[in-house]
Each structure stands twice: as structure tokens, then as C-alpha cells.
Short mmCIF file of all heavy atoms in Angstrom, two decimals:
data_model
loop_
_atom_site.label_atom_id
_atom_site.label_comp_id
_atom_site.label_asym_id
_atom_site.label_seq_id
_atom_site.Cartn_x
_atom_site.Cartn_y
_atom_site.Cartn_z
N LYS A 1 35.80 -15.35 11.34
CA LYS A 1 35.21 -14.63 10.21
C LYS A 1 33.78 -15.09 9.97
O LYS A 1 32.90 -14.29 9.70
CB LYS A 1 36.04 -14.83 8.94
CG LYS A 1 37.32 -14.05 8.94
CD LYS A 1 38.06 -14.27 7.64
CE LYS A 1 39.40 -13.56 7.65
NZ LYS A 1 40.15 -13.80 6.43
N MET A 2 33.56 -16.41 10.07
CA MET A 2 32.21 -16.94 9.85
C MET A 2 31.26 -16.46 10.94
O MET A 2 30.12 -16.09 10.66
CB MET A 2 32.23 -18.47 9.83
CG MET A 2 32.90 -19.02 8.58
SD MET A 2 32.94 -20.79 8.61
CE MET A 2 31.31 -21.14 8.07
N LEU A 3 31.72 -16.41 12.18
CA LEU A 3 30.90 -15.91 13.25
C LEU A 3 30.60 -14.44 13.05
O LEU A 3 29.51 -13.97 13.28
CB LEU A 3 31.58 -16.13 14.61
CG LEU A 3 31.66 -17.58 15.10
CD1 LEU A 3 32.47 -17.65 16.38
CD2 LEU A 3 30.27 -18.13 15.33
N ALA A 4 31.58 -13.72 12.61
CA ALA A 4 31.40 -12.29 12.39
C ALA A 4 30.41 -12.05 11.25
O ALA A 4 29.60 -11.13 11.30
CB ALA A 4 32.74 -11.64 12.09
N VAL A 5 30.50 -12.87 10.22
CA VAL A 5 29.60 -12.72 9.09
C VAL A 5 28.17 -13.05 9.51
O VAL A 5 27.23 -12.36 9.15
CB VAL A 5 30.04 -13.62 7.91
CG1 VAL A 5 28.99 -13.62 6.81
CG2 VAL A 5 31.36 -13.17 7.38
N GLY A 6 27.96 -14.08 10.30
CA GLY A 6 26.63 -14.47 10.75
C GLY A 6 26.00 -13.43 11.64
O GLY A 6 24.80 -13.24 11.65
N LYS A 7 26.78 -12.69 12.41
CA LYS A 7 26.27 -11.69 13.32
C LYS A 7 26.14 -10.31 12.70
O LYS A 7 25.57 -9.43 13.28
CB LYS A 7 27.16 -11.60 14.56
CG LYS A 7 27.10 -12.83 15.43
CD LYS A 7 27.97 -12.66 16.64
CE LYS A 7 27.93 -13.89 17.52
NZ LYS A 7 28.78 -13.75 18.69
N ALA A 8 26.68 -10.14 11.53
CA ALA A 8 26.69 -8.82 10.91
C ALA A 8 25.27 -8.41 10.56
O ALA A 8 24.48 -9.20 10.07
CB ALA A 8 27.55 -8.82 9.67
N LYS A 9 24.93 -7.15 10.82
CA LYS A 9 23.61 -6.61 10.52
C LYS A 9 23.60 -6.10 9.09
O LYS A 9 24.57 -5.55 8.61
CB LYS A 9 23.25 -5.49 11.48
CG LYS A 9 23.06 -5.95 12.89
CD LYS A 9 22.61 -4.80 13.76
CE LYS A 9 22.37 -5.28 15.16
NZ LYS A 9 21.94 -4.18 16.04
N LYS A 10 22.43 -6.27 8.48
CA LYS A 10 22.27 -5.76 7.13
C LYS A 10 21.92 -4.29 7.21
O LYS A 10 21.14 -3.88 8.04
CB LYS A 10 21.16 -6.53 6.40
CG LYS A 10 21.47 -8.00 6.22
CD LYS A 10 20.33 -8.69 5.52
CE LYS A 10 20.60 -10.17 5.43
NZ LYS A 10 19.51 -10.89 4.83
N PRO A 11 22.47 -3.51 6.35
CA PRO A 11 22.14 -2.08 6.38
C PRO A 11 20.73 -1.84 5.87
O PRO A 11 20.22 -2.58 5.04
CB PRO A 11 23.18 -1.46 5.44
CG PRO A 11 23.57 -2.57 4.53
CD PRO A 11 23.45 -3.84 5.34
N GLY A 12 20.07 -0.82 6.40
CA GLY A 12 18.73 -0.44 5.93
C GLY A 12 17.64 -1.10 6.73
O GLY A 12 17.86 -1.73 7.76
N LYS A 13 16.40 -0.97 6.23
CA LYS A 13 15.22 -1.48 6.92
C LYS A 13 15.01 -2.95 6.61
O LYS A 13 15.44 -3.46 5.59
CB LYS A 13 13.97 -0.69 6.50
CG LYS A 13 14.01 0.76 6.89
CD LYS A 13 12.76 1.45 6.45
CE LYS A 13 12.79 2.92 6.82
NZ LYS A 13 11.60 3.62 6.37
N ARG A 14 14.27 -3.60 7.51
CA ARG A 14 13.95 -5.00 7.31
C ARG A 14 12.72 -5.11 6.41
O ARG A 14 11.89 -4.21 6.35
CB ARG A 14 13.64 -5.65 8.66
CG ARG A 14 14.82 -5.61 9.61
CD ARG A 14 14.43 -6.06 10.98
NE ARG A 14 14.09 -7.49 10.99
CZ ARG A 14 13.62 -8.13 12.02
NH1 ARG A 14 13.40 -7.49 13.14
NH2 ARG A 14 13.37 -9.41 11.97
N GLY A 15 12.55 -6.26 5.77
CA GLY A 15 11.35 -6.51 4.99
C GLY A 15 11.46 -6.00 3.56
O GLY A 15 12.53 -5.66 3.07
N ARG A 16 10.30 -5.94 2.94
CA ARG A 16 10.23 -5.53 1.54
C ARG A 16 10.46 -4.04 1.40
O ARG A 16 9.94 -3.25 2.18
CB ARG A 16 8.85 -5.86 1.00
CG ARG A 16 8.87 -6.65 -0.27
CD ARG A 16 7.50 -7.13 -0.63
NE ARG A 16 6.82 -6.10 -1.40
CZ ARG A 16 5.57 -6.17 -1.78
NH1 ARG A 16 4.85 -7.19 -1.42
NH2 ARG A 16 5.03 -5.23 -2.50
N LYS A 17 11.15 -3.68 0.38
CA LYS A 17 11.33 -2.27 0.10
C LYS A 17 10.09 -1.77 -0.62
O LYS A 17 9.54 -2.47 -1.47
CB LYS A 17 12.55 -2.05 -0.80
CG LYS A 17 13.86 -2.35 -0.11
CD LYS A 17 15.01 -2.06 -1.04
CE LYS A 17 16.33 -2.38 -0.37
NZ LYS A 17 17.47 -2.15 -1.26
N PRO A 18 9.62 -0.60 -0.28
CA PRO A 18 8.44 -0.08 -0.96
C PRO A 18 8.74 0.18 -2.43
O PRO A 18 9.75 0.79 -2.76
CB PRO A 18 8.12 1.21 -0.21
CG PRO A 18 9.36 1.58 0.49
CD PRO A 18 10.14 0.31 0.71
N ALA A 19 7.85 -0.32 -3.26
CA ALA A 19 8.02 -0.10 -4.70
C ALA A 19 7.70 1.35 -5.00
O ALA A 19 6.84 1.97 -4.39
CB ALA A 19 7.09 -1.02 -5.47
N LYS A 20 8.38 1.87 -5.96
CA LYS A 20 8.13 3.25 -6.35
C LYS A 20 6.88 3.27 -7.22
O LYS A 20 6.89 2.88 -8.37
CB LYS A 20 9.33 3.82 -7.09
CG LYS A 20 10.54 3.97 -6.20
CD LYS A 20 11.65 4.69 -6.87
CE LYS A 20 12.82 4.84 -5.91
NZ LYS A 20 13.92 5.57 -6.49
N ILE A 21 5.76 3.68 -6.62
CA ILE A 21 4.48 3.70 -7.30
C ILE A 21 4.25 5.10 -7.85
O ILE A 21 4.52 6.10 -7.18
CB ILE A 21 3.34 3.33 -6.33
CG1 ILE A 21 3.57 1.93 -5.77
CG2 ILE A 21 1.99 3.41 -7.01
CD1 ILE A 21 2.61 1.56 -4.67
N ASP A 22 3.75 5.12 -9.05
CA ASP A 22 3.44 6.40 -9.66
C ASP A 22 2.37 7.08 -8.81
O ASP A 22 1.35 6.48 -8.47
CB ASP A 22 2.92 6.15 -11.08
CG ASP A 22 2.70 7.45 -11.84
OD1 ASP A 22 3.27 8.48 -11.43
OD2 ASP A 22 1.94 7.42 -12.82
N LEU A 23 2.61 8.30 -8.42
CA LEU A 23 1.72 9.02 -7.52
C LEU A 23 0.33 9.20 -8.14
O LEU A 23 -0.68 9.06 -7.44
CB LEU A 23 2.32 10.39 -7.18
CG LEU A 23 1.65 11.15 -6.06
CD1 LEU A 23 1.65 10.32 -4.78
CD2 LEU A 23 2.32 12.48 -5.84
N LYS A 24 0.25 9.42 -9.43
CA LYS A 24 -1.05 9.60 -10.09
C LYS A 24 -1.84 8.29 -10.07
O LYS A 24 -3.05 8.31 -9.84
CB LYS A 24 -0.87 10.08 -11.52
CG LYS A 24 -0.39 11.52 -11.62
CD LYS A 24 -0.29 11.97 -13.05
CE LYS A 24 0.18 13.40 -13.12
NZ LYS A 24 0.29 13.86 -14.52
N ALA A 25 -1.17 7.19 -10.30
CA ALA A 25 -1.85 5.88 -10.29
C ALA A 25 -2.37 5.58 -8.88
O ALA A 25 -3.49 5.07 -8.72
CB ALA A 25 -0.92 4.78 -10.76
N LYS A 26 -1.58 5.90 -7.89
CA LYS A 26 -2.00 5.66 -6.50
C LYS A 26 -3.22 6.52 -6.16
O LYS A 26 -4.17 6.05 -5.54
CB LYS A 26 -0.84 5.98 -5.56
CG LYS A 26 -1.13 5.68 -4.12
CD LYS A 26 0.09 5.94 -3.25
CE LYS A 26 -0.20 5.64 -1.79
NZ LYS A 26 0.96 5.91 -0.94
N LEU A 27 -3.19 7.78 -6.59
CA LEU A 27 -4.31 8.67 -6.34
C LEU A 27 -5.57 8.19 -7.05
O LEU A 27 -6.67 8.21 -6.48
CB LEU A 27 -3.93 10.09 -6.80
CG LEU A 27 -4.87 11.21 -6.43
CD1 LEU A 27 -4.99 11.31 -4.92
CD2 LEU A 27 -4.38 12.53 -7.00
N GLU A 28 -5.43 7.70 -8.28
CA GLU A 28 -6.59 7.20 -9.03
C GLU A 28 -7.15 5.94 -8.36
O GLU A 28 -8.37 5.77 -8.29
CB GLU A 28 -6.19 6.89 -10.48
CG GLU A 28 -7.34 6.42 -11.35
CD GLU A 28 -8.51 7.39 -11.40
OE1 GLU A 28 -8.30 8.62 -11.36
OE2 GLU A 28 -9.66 6.91 -11.45
N ARG A 29 -6.29 5.06 -7.88
CA ARG A 29 -6.77 3.87 -7.16
C ARG A 29 -7.54 4.26 -5.91
O ARG A 29 -8.57 3.68 -5.59
CB ARG A 29 -5.57 2.99 -6.76
CG ARG A 29 -5.36 1.84 -7.69
CD ARG A 29 -4.53 0.71 -7.11
NE ARG A 29 -3.75 0.97 -5.94
CZ ARG A 29 -2.43 1.17 -5.90
NH1 ARG A 29 -1.73 1.16 -7.04
NH2 ARG A 29 -1.79 1.37 -4.78
N SER A 30 -7.05 5.27 -5.22
CA SER A 30 -7.73 5.75 -4.02
C SER A 30 -9.10 6.32 -4.37
O SER A 30 -10.09 6.06 -3.67
CB SER A 30 -6.87 6.80 -3.33
OG SER A 30 -7.54 7.35 -2.24
N ARG A 31 -9.18 7.07 -5.44
CA ARG A 31 -10.46 7.64 -5.87
C ARG A 31 -11.45 6.54 -6.26
O ARG A 31 -12.62 6.61 -5.92
CB ARG A 31 -10.24 8.58 -7.06
CG ARG A 31 -9.58 9.88 -6.68
CD ARG A 31 -9.35 10.75 -7.89
NE ARG A 31 -8.70 11.99 -7.51
CZ ARG A 31 -7.96 12.71 -8.32
NH1 ARG A 31 -7.78 12.33 -9.57
NH2 ARG A 31 -7.40 13.83 -7.91
N GLN A 32 -10.94 5.53 -6.98
CA GLN A 32 -11.80 4.42 -7.40
C GLN A 32 -12.32 3.67 -6.18
O GLN A 32 -13.49 3.32 -6.10
CB GLN A 32 -11.02 3.47 -8.33
CG GLN A 32 -11.83 2.29 -8.82
CD GLN A 32 -13.02 2.70 -9.67
OE1 GLN A 32 -12.99 3.71 -10.36
NE2 GLN A 32 -14.07 1.91 -9.62
N SER A 33 -11.46 3.45 -5.21
CA SER A 33 -11.87 2.77 -3.98
C SER A 33 -12.94 3.58 -3.25
O SER A 33 -13.91 3.02 -2.73
CB SER A 33 -10.65 2.56 -3.09
OG SER A 33 -11.03 1.99 -1.87
N ALA A 34 -12.78 4.89 -3.21
CA ALA A 34 -13.77 5.75 -2.55
C ALA A 34 -15.10 5.70 -3.29
O ALA A 34 -16.17 5.66 -2.66
CB ALA A 34 -13.25 7.18 -2.49
N ARG A 35 -15.08 5.67 -4.63
CA ARG A 35 -16.32 5.56 -5.41
C ARG A 35 -17.04 4.25 -5.10
O ARG A 35 -18.25 4.23 -4.89
CB ARG A 35 -16.01 5.64 -6.91
CG ARG A 35 -15.87 7.05 -7.46
CD ARG A 35 -15.87 7.05 -8.98
NE ARG A 35 -14.64 6.49 -9.52
CZ ARG A 35 -13.54 7.20 -9.81
NH1 ARG A 35 -13.53 8.50 -9.62
NH2 ARG A 35 -12.48 6.61 -10.30
N GLU A 36 -16.27 3.16 -5.05
CA GLU A 36 -16.86 1.86 -4.75
C GLU A 36 -17.44 1.83 -3.34
O GLU A 36 -18.51 1.28 -3.11
CB GLU A 36 -15.82 0.76 -4.92
CG GLU A 36 -15.42 0.53 -6.37
CD GLU A 36 -14.23 -0.41 -6.50
OE1 GLU A 36 -13.73 -0.90 -5.47
OE2 GLU A 36 -13.81 -0.64 -7.65
N CYS A 37 -16.76 2.45 -2.40
CA CYS A 37 -17.24 2.51 -1.02
C CYS A 37 -18.55 3.28 -0.95
O CYS A 37 -19.49 2.86 -0.27
CB CYS A 37 -16.17 3.16 -0.14
SG CYS A 37 -16.64 3.28 1.59
N ARG A 38 -18.62 4.42 -1.64
CA ARG A 38 -19.86 5.20 -1.64
C ARG A 38 -21.01 4.43 -2.28
O ARG A 38 -22.15 4.48 -1.82
CB ARG A 38 -19.65 6.54 -2.35
CG ARG A 38 -18.84 7.54 -1.53
CD ARG A 38 -18.85 8.91 -2.17
NE ARG A 38 -18.21 8.95 -3.47
CZ ARG A 38 -16.91 9.17 -3.69
NH1 ARG A 38 -16.10 9.38 -2.66
NH2 ARG A 38 -16.42 9.19 -4.90
N ALA A 39 -20.71 3.67 -3.35
CA ALA A 39 -21.75 2.87 -4.01
C ALA A 39 -22.26 1.78 -3.07
O ALA A 39 -23.48 1.54 -2.98
CB ALA A 39 -21.21 2.25 -5.29
N ARG A 40 -21.35 1.12 -2.34
CA ARG A 40 -21.77 0.09 -1.39
C ARG A 40 -22.60 0.70 -0.28
O ARG A 40 -23.62 0.14 0.14
CB ARG A 40 -20.55 -0.60 -0.78
CG ARG A 40 -19.87 -1.59 -1.70
CD ARG A 40 -18.86 -2.44 -0.95
NE ARG A 40 -17.87 -1.67 -0.25
CZ ARG A 40 -16.69 -1.28 -0.74
NH1 ARG A 40 -16.37 -1.61 -1.99
NH2 ARG A 40 -15.84 -0.59 -0.01
N LYS A 41 -22.20 1.88 0.18
CA LYS A 41 -22.94 2.57 1.25
C LYS A 41 -24.35 2.93 0.78
O LYS A 41 -25.33 2.76 1.50
CB LYS A 41 -22.18 3.82 1.67
CG LYS A 41 -22.78 4.58 2.82
CD LYS A 41 -21.91 5.77 3.18
CE LYS A 41 -22.47 6.57 4.31
NZ LYS A 41 -21.64 7.73 4.64
N LYS A 42 -24.46 3.39 -0.46
CA LYS A 42 -25.76 3.77 -1.01
C LYS A 42 -26.68 2.54 -1.10
O LYS A 42 -27.85 2.61 -0.71
CB LYS A 42 -25.57 4.38 -2.40
CG LYS A 42 -26.83 4.88 -3.03
CD LYS A 42 -26.54 5.51 -4.39
CE LYS A 42 -27.80 5.99 -5.06
NZ LYS A 42 -27.54 6.58 -6.37
N LEU A 43 -26.14 1.42 -1.57
CA LEU A 43 -26.93 0.19 -1.64
C LEU A 43 -27.36 -0.27 -0.26
O LEU A 43 -28.50 -0.71 -0.07
CB LEU A 43 -26.12 -0.92 -2.32
CG LEU A 43 -25.97 -0.82 -3.83
CD1 LEU A 43 -25.02 -1.89 -4.34
CD2 LEU A 43 -27.32 -0.95 -4.51
N ARG A 44 -26.46 -0.16 0.70
CA ARG A 44 -26.79 -0.58 2.07
C ARG A 44 -27.92 0.27 2.63
O ARG A 44 -28.86 -0.24 3.23
CB ARG A 44 -25.55 -0.50 2.96
CG ARG A 44 -25.73 -1.02 4.35
CD ARG A 44 -24.44 -1.14 5.13
NE ARG A 44 -23.64 0.06 5.14
CZ ARG A 44 -22.46 0.21 4.55
NH1 ARG A 44 -21.92 -0.79 3.87
NH2 ARG A 44 -21.80 1.35 4.62
N TYR A 45 -27.86 1.58 2.40
CA TYR A 45 -28.93 2.47 2.89
C TYR A 45 -30.24 2.20 2.18
O TYR A 45 -31.31 2.25 2.80
CB TYR A 45 -28.51 3.94 2.75
CG TYR A 45 -27.74 4.43 3.94
CD1 TYR A 45 -26.36 4.23 4.03
CD2 TYR A 45 -28.37 5.05 4.99
CE1 TYR A 45 -25.65 4.65 5.12
CE2 TYR A 45 -27.67 5.49 6.10
CZ TYR A 45 -26.30 5.29 6.16
OH TYR A 45 -25.60 5.70 7.26
N GLN A 46 -30.21 1.92 0.87
CA GLN A 46 -31.44 1.59 0.15
C GLN A 46 -32.07 0.33 0.73
O GLN A 46 -33.29 0.28 0.94
CB GLN A 46 -31.15 1.37 -1.34
CG GLN A 46 -30.89 2.65 -2.10
CD GLN A 46 -30.50 2.38 -3.54
OE1 GLN A 46 -30.21 1.25 -3.91
NE2 GLN A 46 -30.46 3.42 -4.35
#
């Protein structure tokens, strides 16, 4: 039984489960990141 328990596979994917992120918050973070990227690009070109 102990050998069987040690060899048993866990159901599902390995690693961390993705947290359920609010889609609007994720979209806003992406927009903010894009704004910051454009600002850095503008400074670099200047």
C-alpha cells in the first residue's frame, strides 16, 4: 500500500494553479504597462 501510494500520480496539472484574475484588472494592467513602455521609448528617442 505504501509503495502504491508513493507511486500514485496526482490528478491535474503540475505546479501552481492559475489564480482567477479579474479580466478587467488584467486588461488595465496591460494598458498601464503599454503606457509605461511608450513613455520609455519616447525618452529613449529624445
Side-chain angles (χ1 to χ4, degrees):
K1 285 182 184 177
M2 289 179 81
L3 289 175
V5 171
K7 292 181 180 180
K9 293 184 178 180
K10 297 179 184 177
K13 296 181 181 178
R14 298 172 67 185
R16 232 171 87 185
K17 292 182 181 178
K20 293 188 178 182
I21 300 172
D22 186 20
L23 191 57
K24 289 183 180 180
K26 184 177 180 181
L27 189 60
E28 183 56 35
R29 261 200 343 257
S30 175
R31 288 178 180 155
Q32 180 63 30
S33 176
R35 277 192 289 270
E36 291 171 1
C37 181
R38 285 189 296 272
R40 285 191 304 269
K41 184 178 179 181
K42 184 178 178 181
L43 285 173
R44 185 170 52 248
Y45 273 85
Q46 285 175 349

